[in-house]
């Protein structure tokens, strides 16, 4: 006769677990995700053309040996070929001018 109370408790447990799972599933709103919000988050920012142009042309180049080269409009001084480089990664202690990004940079 002890089996009947055990079966009754098990039945109550199964029914309550089923009801709880039903409540949890009905409260989950996974279908309400707005896909336009996801697309907006994935897009790149809209940068104005003037700002985007300046990003590729820095005003100062600092090299690996702590040399600081400043952008200039025009140079009046003539430099020797061994003092000019066309890549900022190729600078040495003798380098006085970097010509890169379409601009001229002179060492300070």
């Amino acid at each position: 006769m002890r089996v009947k109370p055990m079966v009754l408790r098990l039945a109550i447990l199964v029914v309550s677990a089923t009801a709880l799972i039903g409540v949890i599933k009905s409260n989950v709103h996974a279908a309400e995700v707005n896909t336009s919000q996801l697309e907006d988050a994935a897009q790149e920012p809209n940068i104005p053309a003037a700002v985007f142009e300046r990003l590729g042309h820095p005003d100062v180049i600092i090299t690996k040996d702590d040399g600081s080269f400043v952008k200039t409009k025009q140079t009046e001084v003539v430099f020797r070929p061994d003092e000019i480089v066309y890549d900022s990664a190729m600078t040495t202690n003798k380098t006085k001018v970097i010509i890169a990004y379409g601009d001229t940079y002179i060492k300070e």
Side-chain angles (χ1 to χ4, degrees):
M1 293 284 179
R2 284 181 67 79
V3 176
K4 278 188 176 180
M6 187 86 105
V7 172
L8 183 61
R9 288 181 188 155
L10 185 62
I12 292 172
L13 181 65
V14 169
V15 170
S16 61
T18 305
L20 182 63
I21 290 173
V23 169
I24 291 173
K25 282 188 176 183
S26 68
N27 286 335
V28 174
H29 302 292
E32 293 183 11
V33 174
N34 191 352
T35 57
S36 65
Q37 291 174 344
L38 296 176
E39 290 172 1
D40 290 342
Q43 290 179 352
E44 294 184 17
N46 188 10
I47 300 172
V51 173
F52 187 71
E53 179 67 25
R54 286 201 60 184
L55 288 175
H57 301 275
D59 291 332
V60 177
I61 296 177
I62 306 220
T63 59
K64 61 185 174 191
D65 59 345
D66 295 329
S68 178
F69 293 81
V70 179
K71 184 191 320 186
T72 59
K73 298 289 183 192
Q74 290 183 349
T75 59
E76 307 290 324
V77 183
V78 177
F79 295 99
R80 296 191 319 255
D82 62 337
E83 297 175 334
I84 301 172
V85 295
Y86 296 94
D87 185 5
S88 60
M90 306 303 283
T91 60
T92 62
N93 290 337
K94 295 180 184 179
T95 305
K96 293 185 181 176
V97 177
I98 298 175
I99 299 175
Y101 310 110
D103 294 316
T104 303
Y105 298 85
I106 296 180
K107 190 171 191 173
E108 289 186 319

